[in-house]
Amino acid sequence: MSYIIDRRLNGKNKSTVNRQRFLERYRRHIREAVNEAVGRRSITDMEQGERISIPEKDLSEPRFHHGSGGRRNVVHPGNREFQAGDRVKKPSGGEGGAGGRDASDSGEGADEFAFEIDQREFLNFLFEDLELPNLIKRHLEGSRSFHRRHGGIVSHGLPAKINIVRSMRQASMRRRALTAASRRRLRLLEEERDALLGQDQSPERNERLNDLDTQIDRVRRRIERIPFLDEVDLRFNHHVKVPVPVSRAVMFCIMDVSGSMNQDMKDLAKRFFLLLYLFLQRNYEHTEVVFIRHHTSAKEVNEEEFFYSRETGGTIVSSALKLTLDTIKARYPVEEWNLYGAQASDGDNWNDDSPGCAALLEKELLPRMQHFSYVEVMPRSHQALWEHYQSVQERCGDVFSMAQIDDPGDIYPVFRRLFKKRMEVA
Amino acid sequence: MTVADSKLISSGSDWDFETLAEYDQAIAELAHGKFGLDTYPNQIEVISSEQMMDAYSSVGMPVGYNHWSFGKQFVEVESRYRRGQMGLAYEIVINSNPCIAYLMEENTITMQALVIAHAGYGHNSFFKGNYLFKTWTDASAIIDYLVFARHYLAECEQRHGVTAVEETLDSCHALMNYGVDRYKRPTPISAHEEKRRQRDREEALQRQVSELWKTFPDMQPMVQRREPSRRFPTEPQENLLYFLEKNAPLLEPWQREVIRIVRKMAQYFYPQRQTQVMNEGWATFWHYTLLNELYDQGRVDDGFMLEFLQNHSQVIYQPPFDSPYYSGINPYALGFAMFHDIRRICEAPTDEDRQWFPDIAGSDWLATLKFAMESFKDESFIQQFLSPRLIREFKLFSLMDDSERDYIEINAIHNEPGYQAIRNRLSEQYNLSIQEPNIQVYSADVRGDRSLTLQHLRQHHRPLEADTAQEVLRHLHRLWGFDVHLESVDNGSVVERLSIPSHRLD
């Protein structure tokens, strides 16, 4: 006797818990692999999963084994040329003991355990322990953000939303209430009849009994006439639409594209912007990016132009900051948006301009923004802009941070440092 | 042959549930009727490849407790499967009553029929008939027991935290191969009993342990009068997990229960580890025989047979030792060849066979085959039935590797003087008690520093792999709670000593 069962519709993710436990256990290894991947990857494929390799010895489940040494006998198939008594020299190192036993483990390095994590897990590890400073500012955004919440029980509604338990309870209550008097009456009549039945036969008794029977009958019918379920009993689940606060952010990418910025520097900057963008995306439901590039004058451009078109000329940083301020005023009301700024530059600026930049930043931009970060992509000594910004940082350390990036390997550590979860900001 | 041929069960490669049932019916009639195989009822479950990966990583069991090592296995299987480095097995079958076999939905009808014959009638009858399975496992209770274990461990995790449970499990897993009684017959697992008695056991055990470890001498007058040289345990114990469960001084009651669960699992899988060649060989022999029989009856067509034979020959392919695909002897190949050979010896014996197998040459093949299946394990099966003809066919040869010498000696090949030697050595190769280091509990210092001493009896001077041994000892130390020593004994004298904590090395 056989039973054939279709189990294909059963859940397929039975191993999820075990998988999570495994990832948890090797968190440290995976973090390392992720960090390394960030340095290695090009910017465009940051949003992919990653292949993780863990040294086999770190996650082995130890058992007692025989080691090499001693005397052992192995039987193998496929002999062609050997005769009994033949002697074969051991391969140097004396490791030939097991014969061909492990020979076919080629392909993956046998001492690496490799597997993949998906994009979400990758980003989780990437941004673990990081937090946006001054995060919360919410705005009730228009139409698409409603959430249906249970809104109690009502007596009118669609048949599909009928609440059976409550309806039946209601019906039971109604039946009890409406029949209470009749049932009491019935009980009295029945008691009287039982008492009469115990007495001796007599004409009056029989007459009374008949009378009682008809009365009991009538009362019973009255009780039965009360409907089991009436329309007034029906109860319906009610749902209300609650607007959900949607948090949204806009990120201003400001980059110097003057002649002194070469493509490598722009690449460094781009990676930094990208990390910031991914990070914002994870924290906000809606993230917009505004690209502003500048040399002596600033301009809002699209992404392609921002990263790849070449410009020459001098540098006036304040032009970009002014444009940012204008854009905020025009399009991104402070009470509705979380504003972030990231500026990348090689540090060059007209000397006269730097104090103005610092002032503009401190007086106008920072009060409006959640955070502003400045990275200098230049492996050489700092210029006036850096010094002025430093004084800003001293005064507004919680919303402003700055760092220097020399090569791609620096980006991620710097990024982590800038956004490291702060225990207490206050 | 045309589709219109009424005897055909199916044509083409698609399957549906009716055809599955028809194949099952046809195969069952042959297996039970013509060949008299005794099986548990079959529960054939059709699953997707994702579910197959889940099944893989829980050692094939439909339920299991949670542990990271299963996750590791899952991640590995998933990653290799996704990259196309490995195909999934066509089937997994569970020794339970009813016998659960998984079919993958991607398979063609030919493969499904093959799996039904292989798992549902081959493995199934092996589970029901082989003496090891009869002795060691209780097919009707295993699923219930797994459910019990899963719930119990989940409860422990809630009460004591995931980490604590995980650590205990890690340690138990490290000793899992030493959680079986090799010679004693175990009591079968019964889930209802387990659940009912588990609470009582917790208390009773704790009491017993406390008794053993009492340190106030006047409360234990008997102990004081004992001979001081008397060892505890009085005889070496091979079942390390059992010993720990009953005697480890510091374990909490729930930890003892966890050890017990792992021990029971080890016990359940022990017969499978001992009968790989036989089990796979038997199942392969029967899918081959049953499907050929169907073909002879005209119930499957040529296309079916071609696909079947192609798969079959892949399964039983044995690459030679110098092939890049070689990874030891293929149990399917050896097992199938041996059962096939036994049938040949019964039906058409040569003079050589009469000389080597006087008892079975010319006997009834079905009865002989069943006898072989029921009464042996790999080691004794090979010892008993590996014929010179097969040794020649496989071109088996035996290597001797002695660390004392700088060469490897070929000490037997597939010729007249070598047959017996090869048979013995191959048989030994499947003897778990020789393949696994022989480690036993030697003594526990009950009234001294409470240290535990294990002894490893070296066979053929083979040492332990020091690194992993150290790691396993660490796990043992976690369970025991006091110092742990491992002595390696060669030729009656201790040649090496490992200790945890290691600074106490003397």
Side-chain angles (χ1 to χ4, degrees):
Chain A
M1 185 58 218
S2 300
Y3 317 92
I4 299 179
I5 303 173
D6 187 357
R7 286 260 192 245
R8 285 171 296 179
L9 295 179
N10 283 26
K12 63 181 176 188
N13 291 324
K14 271 204 286 191
S15 301
T16 312
V17 176
N18 290 331
R19 186 167 189 278
Q20 284 308 323
R21 292 211 174 152
F22 171 71
L23 293 187
E24 193 55 40
R25 189 179 170 99
Y26 291 99
R27 174 167 288 278
R28 187 175 59 81
H29 291 93
I30 297 172
R31 263 279 280 289
E32 274 170 21
V34 166
N35 288 0
E36 195 209 335
V38 175
R40 194 187 58 228
R41 279 184 183 196
S42 83
I43 317 144
T44 38
D45 65 9
M46 198 58 84
E47 296 209 39
Q48 281 179 7
E50 172 62 19
R51 190 167 173 78
I52 307 287
S53 293
I54 299 177
E56 189 71 66
K57 69 172 169 42
D58 285 353
L59 46 67
S60 67
E61 298 157 72
R63 301 274 161 96
F64 284 125
H65 290 295
H66 279 130
S68 58
R71 189 150 36 84
R72 76 185 66 199
N73 236 307
V74 195
V75 176
H76 291 295
N79 179 23
R80 276 196 300 268
E81 71 270 20
F82 297 130
Q83 289 296 327
D86 282 359
R87 291 175 175 187
V88 182
K89 206 152 171 44
K90 283 184 195 172
S92 52
E95 265 302 315
R101 184 167 290 181
D102 297 323
S104 69
D105 267 6
S106 56
E108 220 114 64
D111 41 356
E112 289 278 290
F113 178 84
F115 61 97
E116 307 213 345
I117 56 175
D118 64 22
Q119 181 222 342
R120 249 200 22 249
E121 288 166 329
F122 178 78
L123 290 179
N124 271 335
F125 279 106
L126 190 63
F127 295 125
E128 200 182 46
D129 304 333
L130 293 186
E131 193 180 58
L132 280 170
N134 315 327
L135 178 70
I136 307 298
K137 181 185 279 185
R138 290 183 190 286
H139 166 67
L140 299 190
E141 205 195 8
S143 51
R144 69 183 164 79
S145 48
F146 281 104
H147 177 64
R148 297 177 75 81
R149 260 220 321 252
H150 192 58
I153 305 285
V154 294
S155 51
H156 294 282
L158 294 172
K161 297 214 280 186
I162 197 163
N163 184 323
I164 293 173
V165 173
R166 294 291 287 262
S167 300
M168 297 314 283
R169 192 194 292 167
Q170 205 66 28
S172 161
M173 273 153 51
R174 177 181 50 78
R175 287 199 308 273
R176 285 180 167 275
L178 289 183
T179 58
S182 308
R183 277 184 291 122
R184 199 178 312 122
R185 179 104 191 285
L186 180 67
R187 202 168 54 241
L188 289 175
L189 290 172
E190 279 177 340
E191 273 167 15
E192 190 182 345
R193 189 183 61 171
D194 288 348
L196 280 178
L197 281 174
Q199 288 173 13
D200 295 337
Q201 295 269 14
S202 73
E204 300 90 67
R205 171 181 166 277
N206 288 351
E207 195 180 321
R208 180 66 189 151
L209 267 179
N210 282 337
D211 186 33
L212 280 177
D213 280 344
T214 42
Q215 281 193 44
I216 286 175
D217 232 31
R218 198 181 314 132
V219 175
R220 283 231 169 98
R221 275 206 301 281
R222 182 176 301 160
I223 291 175
E224 278 161 14
R225 268 206 299 276
I226 303 295
F228 181 75
L229 187 65
D230 204 341
E231 212 166 323
V232 295
D233 301 329
L234 296 184
R235 290 295 177 271
F236 300 86
N237 291 327
H238 185 52
H239 290 97
V240 285
K241 277 179 161 183
V242 188
V244 182
V246 167
S247 50
R248 42 185 195 176
V250 58
M251 165 181 160
F252 291 92
C253 298
I254 302 168
M255 184 163 70
D256 179 2
V257 291
S258 63
S260 55
M261 283 283 280
N262 61 27
Q263 197 58 42
D264 288 349
M265 292 176 181
K266 282 193 205 170
D267 257 358
L268 284 182
K270 180 175 178 183
R271 286 177 185 227
F272 183 80
F273 289 141
L274 190 107
L275 273 180
L276 185 58
Y277 177 64
L278 286 178
F279 189 39
L280 287 175
Q281 244 189 347
R282 281 168 43 83
N283 280 289
Y284 292 99
E285 280 176 37
H286 182 72
T287 314
E288 283 185 17
V289 188
V290 176
F291 296 101
I292 292 175
R293 58 171 200 173
H294 69 92
H295 36 96
T296 48
S297 66
K299 193 177 160 200
E300 189 182 335
V301 294
N302 63 25
E303 185 177 353
E304 188 64 19
E305 218 176 319
F306 184 71
F307 287 118
Y308 296 111
S309 82
R310 290 198 62 84
E311 294 277 342
T312 50
T315 316
I316 297 179
V317 175
S318 64
S319 64
L321 297 183
K322 275 198 197 98
L323 181 60
T324 307
L325 184 60
D326 294 343
T327 316
I328 291 176
K329 281 179 180 160
R331 304 211 307 257
Y332 300 105
V334 179
E335 58 278 3
E336 291 181 17
W337 291 83
N338 294 287
L339 302 164
Y340 292 86
Q343 185 188 3
S345 152
D346 59 355
D348 263 353
N349 198 7
W350 290 104
N351 272 342
D352 298 352
D353 188 45
S354 293
C357 287
L360 187 62
L361 192 64
E362 192 178 345
K363 299 270 152 39
E364 297 285 345
L365 284 176
L366 290 185
R368 292 181 161 83
M369 288 190 145
Q370 261 59 44
H371 190 78
F372 191 95
S373 51
Y374 171 68
V375 289
E376 201 161 291
V377 284
M378 192 62 193
R380 67 166 188 222
S381 57
H382 305 298
Q383 299 185 23
L385 188 61
W386 178 272
E387 279 150 27
H388 282 101
Y389 272 8
Q390 244 171 358
S391 66
V392 175
Q393 190 184 23
E394 276 158 27
R395 288 190 294 275
C396 322
D398 54 336
V399 286
F400 181 78
S401 52
M402 54 196 285
Q404 187 182 8
I405 297 176
D406 289 345
D407 65 80
D410 279 355
I411 295 174
Y412 186 54
V414 163
F415 183 80
R416 285 195 76 86
R417 206 175 68 230
L418 291 183
F419 292 99
K420 178 116 48 84
K421 197 177 260 175
R422 290 168 208 192
M423 280 319 176
E424 313 156 51
V425 176
Chain B
M1 224 176 263
T2 59
V3 188
D5 195 325
S6 60
K7 280 161 81 186
L8 278 185
I9 299 175
S10 72
S11 67
S13 61
D14 292 342
W15 61 267
D16 54 39
F17 285 91
E18 282 86 55
T19 24
L20 281 189
E22 278 178 51
Y23 271 108
D24 177 69
Q25 177 86 27
I27 293 170
E29 275 165 20
L30 282 175
H32 293 151
K34 181 161 183 188
F35 299 112
L37 294 182
D38 185 18
T39 61
Y40 296 119
N42 274 310
Q43 180 170 324
I44 296 167
E45 307 197 350
V46 180
I47 60 174
S48 65
S49 56
E50 282 98 339
Q51 289 170 315
M52 195 59 150
M53 290 194 281
D54 282 334
Y56 254 73
S57 41
S58 50
V59 273
M61 302 316 258
V63 278
Y65 51 83
N66 289 324
H67 189 250
W68 65 269
S69 62
F70 303 135
K72 171 187 160 190
Q73 216 168 343
F74 177 76
V75 159
E76 187 176 20
V77 168
E78 188 189 29
S79 143
R80 288 177 60 198
Y81 179 64
R82 291 259 156 83
R83 310 199 133 226
Q85 286 174 344
M86 93 186 221
L88 294 173
Y90 299 119
E91 46 95 14
I92 284 182
V93 55
I94 296 167
N95 167 24
S96 61
N97 182 11
C99 179
I100 303 175
Y102 296 125
L103 303 186
M104 259 205 306
E105 63 170 339
E106 284 89 342
N107 291 345
T108 61
I109 185 66
T110 311
M111 292 311 299
Q112 308 290 34
L114 190 156
V115 171
I116 290 175
H118 182 93
Y121 296 89
H123 283 306
N124 188 343
S125 58
F126 193 88
F127 291 147
K128 195 167 181 189
N130 183 269
Y131 83 102
L132 275 179
F133 285 87
K134 281 190 194 161
T135 326
W136 291 83
T137 62
D138 181 359
S140 60
I142 181 64
I143 301 291
D144 288 344
Y145 187 75
L146 287 171
V147 172
F148 158 77
R150 182 187 172 92
H151 285 285
Y152 187 80
L153 284 166
E155 208 179 285
C156 284
E157 281 174 359
Q158 280 182 358
R159 274 194 296 175
H160 311 285
V162 174
T163 327
V165 176
E166 185 172 288
E167 282 178 353
T168 312
L169 275 177
D170 283 354
S171 300
C172 294
H173 283 184
L175 296 166
M176 199 162 178
N177 288 351
Y178 295 86
V180 286
D181 300 311
R182 279 170 221 273
Y183 306 107
K184 231 188 301 170
R185 187 192 186 286
T187 46
I189 299 171
S190 153
H192 293 295
E193 289 271 292
E194 287 296 335
K195 189 142 199 168
R196 199 169 49 74
R197 290 189 344 216
Q198 179 261 320
R199 207 162 286 274
D200 307 344
R201 195 165 56 225
E202 270 189 9
E203 287 168 19
L205 247 176
Q206 202 59 44
R207 231 177 290 131
Q208 179 192 334
V209 172
S210 316
E211 196 67 33
L212 181 62
W213 294 100
K214 260 181 195 160
T215 43
F216 300 105
D218 47 321
M219 290 172 75
Q220 254 181 321
M222 297 299 290
V223 171
Q224 246 202 338
R225 252 178 276 132
R226 256 194 222 150
E227 283 291 302
S229 63
R230 184 122 177 234
R231 261 194 306 124
F232 176 83
T234 43
E235 283 173 6
Q237 301 283 314
E238 54 163 356
N239 192 335
L240 304 192
L241 284 182
Y242 182 83
F243 183 83
L244 288 169
E245 181 194 332
K246 301 298 179 201
N247 299 306
L250 296 182
L251 290 182
E252 307 253 346
W254 67 269
Q255 288 176 304
R256 295 182 202 279
E257 191 65 31
V258 171
I259 296 183
R260 188 181 171 84
I261 287 171
V262 174
R263 197 160 64 75
K264 293 278 176 188
M265 297 301 292
Q267 208 166 73
Y268 173 79
F269 286 115
Y270 189 52
Q272 313 215 352
R273 291 167 56 218
Q274 285 180 294
T275 55
Q276 229 196 345
V277 170
M278 284 181 77
N279 201 344
E280 292 304 351
W282 176 259
T284 309
F285 175 83
W286 280 110
H287 80 229
Y288 181 77
T289 309
L290 289 169
L291 293 188
N292 267 308
E293 194 71 23
L294 280 185
Y295 181 64
D296 292 344
Q297 293 182 353
R299 309 207 59 187
V300 297
D301 58 21
D302 293 347
F304 180 101
M305 278 318 268
L306 276 176
E307 188 186 348
F308 157 65
L309 284 173
Q310 193 210 349
N311 275 295
H312 175 73
S313 50
Q314 271 170 17
V315 167
I316 60 159
Y317 175 62
Q318 173 64 62
F321 76 102
D322 50 359
S323 151
Y325 304 107
Y326 179 66
S327 55
I329 290 178
N330 175 357
Y332 291 83
L334 183 63
F336 174 73
M338 284 186 68
F339 278 111
H340 207 65
D341 198 49
I342 295 174
R343 180 173 181 178
R344 184 194 57 79
I345 293 171
C346 294
E347 289 183 330
T350 62
D351 289 345
E352 185 185 47
D353 297 326
R354 284 185 211 287
Q355 187 197 334
W356 280 74
F357 304 101
D359 292 347
I360 64 168
S363 66
D364 173 31
W365 70 269
L366 195 55
T368 309
L369 231 61
K370 278 187 195 159
F371 164 74
M373 175 275 277
E374 281 166 7
S375 339
F376 294 91
K377 54 184 170 182
D378 283 351
E379 169 200 356
S380 51
F381 179 65
I382 290 171
Q383 183 74 308
Q384 200 72 26
F385 293 109
L386 186 69
S387 72
R389 185 188 165 111
L390 268 194
I391 295 177
R392 286 195 299 272
E393 232 166 65
F394 275 83
K395 298 191 170 64
L396 295 176
F397 67 107
S398 160
L399 295 178
M400 157 72 95
D401 179 7
D402 191 333
S403 56
E404 305 277 287
R405 304 188 198 147
D406 61 350
Y407 57 84
I408 296 169
E409 186 179 335
I410 287 100
N411 53 10
I413 67 160
H414 46 96
N415 57 11
E416 192 64 45
Y419 293 146
Q420 198 61 50
I422 288 205
R423 192 149 98 164
N424 290 342
R425 277 164 202 157
L426 189 62
S427 151
E428 206 168 87
Q429 205 158 309
Y430 287 97
N431 185 343
L432 284 187
S433 52
I434 292 183
Q435 286 313 303
E436 283 173 359
N438 177 1
I439 293 171
Q440 307 200 335
V441 176
Y442 180 69
S443 75
D445 192 351
V446 195
R447 282 170 302 132
D449 65 357
R450 299 186 163 190
S451 66
L452 178 72
T453 307
L454 306 184
Q455 278 200 343
H456 167 224
L457 298 174
R458 288 194 181 176
Q459 289 145 326
H460 304 305
H461 315 292
R462 294 173 72 178
L464 284 179
E465 234 260 291
D467 290 350
T468 51
Q470 185 91 8
E471 284 303 309
V472 179
L473 276 197
R474 243 183 268 284
H475 283 299
L476 188 67
H477 177 250
R478 184 190 278 161
L479 294 177
W480 182 251
F482 295 96
D483 292 7
V484 180
H485 310 288
L486 173 64
E487 298 173 346
S488 272
V489 178
D490 203 359
N491 285 335
S493 58
V494 176
V495 291
E496 205 183 337
R497 200 172 146 95
L498 271 174
S499 296
I500 299 286
S502 49
H503 59 84
R504 292 187 51 98
L505 229 153
D506 41 348

